[in-house]
């Protein structure tokens, strides 16, 4: 490990000032589950590491006028235990449960998972399927953008060295939206996804509405499958259409062929996981409608 400077600011303003002062040779440390491993093997010093693990502005899960705000510094374990997450976006709990081991989930943060930006990230597909947005802060103020615009490429986001990911916002219109996440790896625990997927949708008058399908580990970044979504939008719910969407989703991805899985195997997984997440979301929608009728 190469020598480096270490800074631990007290609040968001001090973090941004530290990032600006030491940019571009500066790195952020939150949970450290990814970066501490990387730090042991880099050939050059990171310069300055800014510890944001205790910054209050990066914590908390709360309902706001815009939707559900999740601080970038919230851990995966906190997401799994939060009643607001369970109420509004339970698929995030399922996704968080697949991330690493218990120790990783206790330390690792949602923001860290997004900023690391590996194609197989487990938090990304569910958030993309829910049209999540992110807030980025820097010396010139803050800006908000769709999560899909935040991702640039493998291990590359839109963040400049002097900027900080503050939070994730799930829009109010999507709170409670039927959503399902599914991950397929080579083993049940502590495995990188060969393919992961999430689908969200509403069912109105027996028809698909506001369909979102997102896939991870199949392209340089987590992607939507807009053609597959369009094949369902506004049409009566049916297994045949869901099967068609699975086939279309394959054409919207660019999976690799490597030692962990062949290209054809990954294509089969895209088809299967797209169908499974759509079918599960439809079942969730049916359960919601059944409960609603029971109370009216």
């Amino acid at each position: 490990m190469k020598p480096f400077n270490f800074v631990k600011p007290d609040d968001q303003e001090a973090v941004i000032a530290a990032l600006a002062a030491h940019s571009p040779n500066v790195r952020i440390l939150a949970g450290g589950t990814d970066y501490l491993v990387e730090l042991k093997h880099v050939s050059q010093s990171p310069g300055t590491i800014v510890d944001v693990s205790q910054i209050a502005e990066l914590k908390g899960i709360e309902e706001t006028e815009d939707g559900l705000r999740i601080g970038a510094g919230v851990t995966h374990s906190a997401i799994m235990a939060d009643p607001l997450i369970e109420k509004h976006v339970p698929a995030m709990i399922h996704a968080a449960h697949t991330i690493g081991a218990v120790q990783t989930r206790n330390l690792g943060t949602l923001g860290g998972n997004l900023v690391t930006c590996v194609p197989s990230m487990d938090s990304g597909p569910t958030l993309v399927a829910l049209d999540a947005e992110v807030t980025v802060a820097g010396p010139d103020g803050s800006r908000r953008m769709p999560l899909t615009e935040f991702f640039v490429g493998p291990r590359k986001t839109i963040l400049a060295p002097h900027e900080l990911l503050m939070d994730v916002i799930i829009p109010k219109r999507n709170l409670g939206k039927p959503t399902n996440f599914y991950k397929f790896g080579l083993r049940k625990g502590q495995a990188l996804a060969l393919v992961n997927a999430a689908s969200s949708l509403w069912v109105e008058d027996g028809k698909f509405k506001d369909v979102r399908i997102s896939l991870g580990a199949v392209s340089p970044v987590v992607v939507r499958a807009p053609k597959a979504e369009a094949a369902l939008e506004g049409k009566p719910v049916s297994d045949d259409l869901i099967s068609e969407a699975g086939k279309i989703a394959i054409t919207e991805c660019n999976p690799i062929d490597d030692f962990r899985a062949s290209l054809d195997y990954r294509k089969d997984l895209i088809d299967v996981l797209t169908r499974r997440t759509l079918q599960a979301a439809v079942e969730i929608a049916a359960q919601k409608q059944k409960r609603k009728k029971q109370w009216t």
Side-chain angles (χ1 to χ4, degrees):
M1 184 182 294
K2 301 296 182 179
F4 55 85
N5 297 318
F6 183 82
V7 179
K8 191 171 184 178
D10 294 324
D11 55 29
Q12 173 190 337
E13 184 177 351
V15 169
I16 292 172
L19 294 175
H22 298 285
S23 180
N25 198 20
V26 63
R27 291 292 298 266
I28 292 172
L29 179 69
T33 56
D34 283 308
Y35 186 54
L36 285 180
V37 176
E38 177 186 340
L39 188 60
K40 295 177 181 179
H41 302 285
V42 294
S43 59
Q44 296 180 336
S45 169
T48 298
I49 291 180
V50 179
D51 184 347
V52 301
S53 60
Q54 302 303 314
I55 302 301
E57 292 93 335
L58 300 180
K59 305 292 186 179
I61 300 172
E62 59 184 341
E63 288 188 69
T64 69
E65 292 182 357
D66 296 326
L68 188 66
R69 175 195 174 274
I70 308 169
V74 172
T75 66
H76 305 300
S77 291
I79 286 172
M80 292 170 62
D82 191 86
L84 289 177
I85 297 289
E86 183 177 13
K87 176 182 178 182
H88 294 302
V89 282
M92 285 191 66
I93 295 176
H94 303 153
H97 188 74
T98 70
I99 296 174
V102 173
Q103 297 91 332
T104 302
R105 296 193 290 271
N106 286 344
L107 286 173
T109 63
L110 176 61
N113 198 235
L114 298 177
V115 170
T116 301
C117 203
V118 295
S120 59
M121 71 171 73
D122 294 317
S123 61
T126 301
L127 293 172
V128 169
L130 290 167
D131 298 327
E133 299 177 339
V134 294
T135 306
V136 172
D140 298 324
S142 62
R143 54 197 172 111
R144 186 179 295 178
M145 69 197 71
L147 180 57
T148 49
E149 295 180 9
F150 183 74
F151 302 138
V152 175
R155 294 190 175 273
K156 177 65 176 175
T157 70
I158 203 170
L159 280 177
H162 56 272
E163 291 183 315
L164 176 68
L165 176 64
M166 293 300 302
D167 57 35
V168 176
I169 304 290
I170 299 174
K172 182 175 290 187
R173 68 180 184 278
N174 287 337
L175 298 185
K177 186 177 183 182
T179 307
N180 182 255
F181 169 84
Y182 202 101
K183 171 181 177 176
F184 188 90
L186 294 178
R187 56 183 186 268
K188 288 187 177 181
Q190 302 186 54
L192 291 176
L194 291 181
V195 176
N196 56 20
S199 294
S200 73
L201 52 83
W202 299 104
V203 175
E204 290 190 1
D205 299 323
K207 298 179 180 179
F208 292 106
K209 181 180 178 183
D210 293 338
V211 181
R212 297 288 185 272
I213 300 167
S214 62
L215 295 148
V218 298
S219 289
V221 297
V222 176
V223 294
R224 288 251 314 266
K227 293 179 182 177
E229 296 167 358
L232 302 176
E233 192 68 35
K235 297 177 182 177
V237 173
S238 73
D239 289 338
D240 287 343
L241 277 178
I242 289 176
S243 295
E244 180 183 347
K247 298 293 188 295
I248 295 173
I250 296 173
T251 69
E252 301 186 80
C253 301
N254 187 28
I256 62 173
D257 189 330
D258 67 4
F259 68 95
R260 294 198 302 134
S262 68
L263 177 62
D264 287 339
Y265 189 59
R266 282 189 166 93
K267 287 182 176 180
D268 285 343
L269 286 175
I270 292 167
D271 179 12
V272 171
L273 267 58
T274 297
R275 288 189 282 110
R276 286 186 181 180
T277 55
L278 286 168
Q279 289 165 345
V282 168
E283 291 172 5
I284 295 169
Q287 292 168 4
K288 283 179 173 287
Q289 291 175 350
K290 183 177 180 179
R291 288 195 296 269
K292 185 177 179 180
K293 288 180 180 179
Q294 290 175 342
W295 288 97
T296 57

